[in-house]
Amino acid sequence: MRLVILGGPGAGKGTQAQQLCSNLSIPLLAVGDILRAEIAGETDLGKLAVPYVEKGELVPDEILIKFIGRRLLLWDVFNGWLLEGYPRTAFQAEELDFLLEELAQELDWAIWLKVPIEVLRSRSIERDRSDDHPEILQRRLDLFHERTIPLLEYYEYRNKLLTVNGDQSPEQVQQDILQLIEAKVK
């Protein structure tokens, strides 16, 4: 099973992704955590990402797709994976499809955690991460809206989009995701 999980900042992607990986026995490829670790480790990739992250901008596609391509070659992803934090634009989704084609893999589903903007804002403020300051958060919400809607259309057109109400308890969201996947696999 090869999955991506989509949603705005504060939608619960990380929580749902971890639970889903545990339930499906696949590794989690969390791009945000990886970038934060690269920045903290002051690696070449991290240094390239710093100016974008500090402004609340998205890290350029060419940096992310190279990293993901390298990551998808490792042995632990042979039987599947869940990618969290990428793709965030229709262009990235297309690049990911090209990359997967080169690797003789195919994405099964894009899981969309649908959460109202007001809820995303309040959840993000509550979690108090360094990239969740009000002005940076507002920029991330604006970018999310501007760039993510075409992404949903991209997956919808390819019949790969599973939409889940993300504005409910984490347990209920997880149950809904698993039920949707199970129904599609049959």
Side-chain angles (χ1 to χ4, degrees), residues 26-172:
I26 56 175
L28 172 60
L29 311 180
V31 174
D33 291 345
I34 294 161
L35 275 176
R36 280 188 279 277
E38 297 277 347
I39 289 168
E42 297 184 0
T43 65
D44 291 343
L45 179 67
K47 287 174 186 169
L48 290 174
V50 167
Y52 302 98
V53 172
E54 284 177 347
K55 292 180 194 146
E57 299 285 341
L58 298 176
V59 174
D61 297 336
E62 62 273 11
I63 296 171
L64 291 177
I65 199 70
K66 283 178 190 168
F67 172 79
I68 291 165
R70 256 193 348 240
R71 182 63 184 91
L72 290 177
L73 292 173
L74 299 181
W75 65 271
D76 66 330
V77 299
F78 185 73
N79 290 318
W81 40 263
L82 187 148
L83 191 55
E84 186 258 309
Y86 189 95
R88 290 187 175 181
T89 65
F91 177 79
Q92 289 178 351
E94 197 171 36
E95 287 293 304
L96 180 61
D97 280 348
F98 291 145
L99 174 64
L100 293 176
E101 198 175 308
E102 284 175 28
L103 299 173
Q105 297 182 29
E106 186 182 344
L107 183 71
D108 292 297
W109 305 108
I111 300 160
W112 163 238
L113 300 178
K114 189 175 182 178
V115 179
I117 290 286
E118 315 78 64
V119 176
L120 294 177
R121 185 176 287 114
S122 66
R123 283 183 185 176
S124 294
I125 290 167
E126 286 168 17
R127 64 184 185 180
D128 195 33
R129 282 201 325 228
S130 62
D131 58 346
D132 282 337
H133 292 305
E135 58 282 350
I136 292 176
L137 174 60
Q138 187 56 52
R139 178 75 181 129
R140 288 175 64 215
L141 287 168
D142 292 345
L143 279 173
F144 160 72
H145 184 75
E146 173 187 317
R147 297 180 177 174
T148 306
I149 303 310
L151 175 60
L152 300 178
E153 292 168 352
Y154 178 89
Y155 285 123
E156 184 82 64
Y157 180 76
R158 286 157 181 76
N159 297 314
K160 301 261 184 193
L161 189 66
L162 303 180
T163 302
V164 177
N165 175 7
D167 191 16
Q168 47 186 349
S169 75
E171 298 77 22
Q172 186 60 53

Side-chain angles (χ1 to χ4, degrees), residues 5 8 10-21 28 30 33 36 82 84-85 113 127 129 174:
I5 191 160
K13 294 182 301 292
T15 301
Q16 293 305 322
Q18 287 175 338
Q19 289 178 9
L20 203 51
C21 287
L28 172 60
D33 291 345
R36 280 188 279 277
L82 187 148
E84 186 258 309
L113 300 178
R127 64 184 185 180
R129 282 201 325 228
Q174 184 69 194

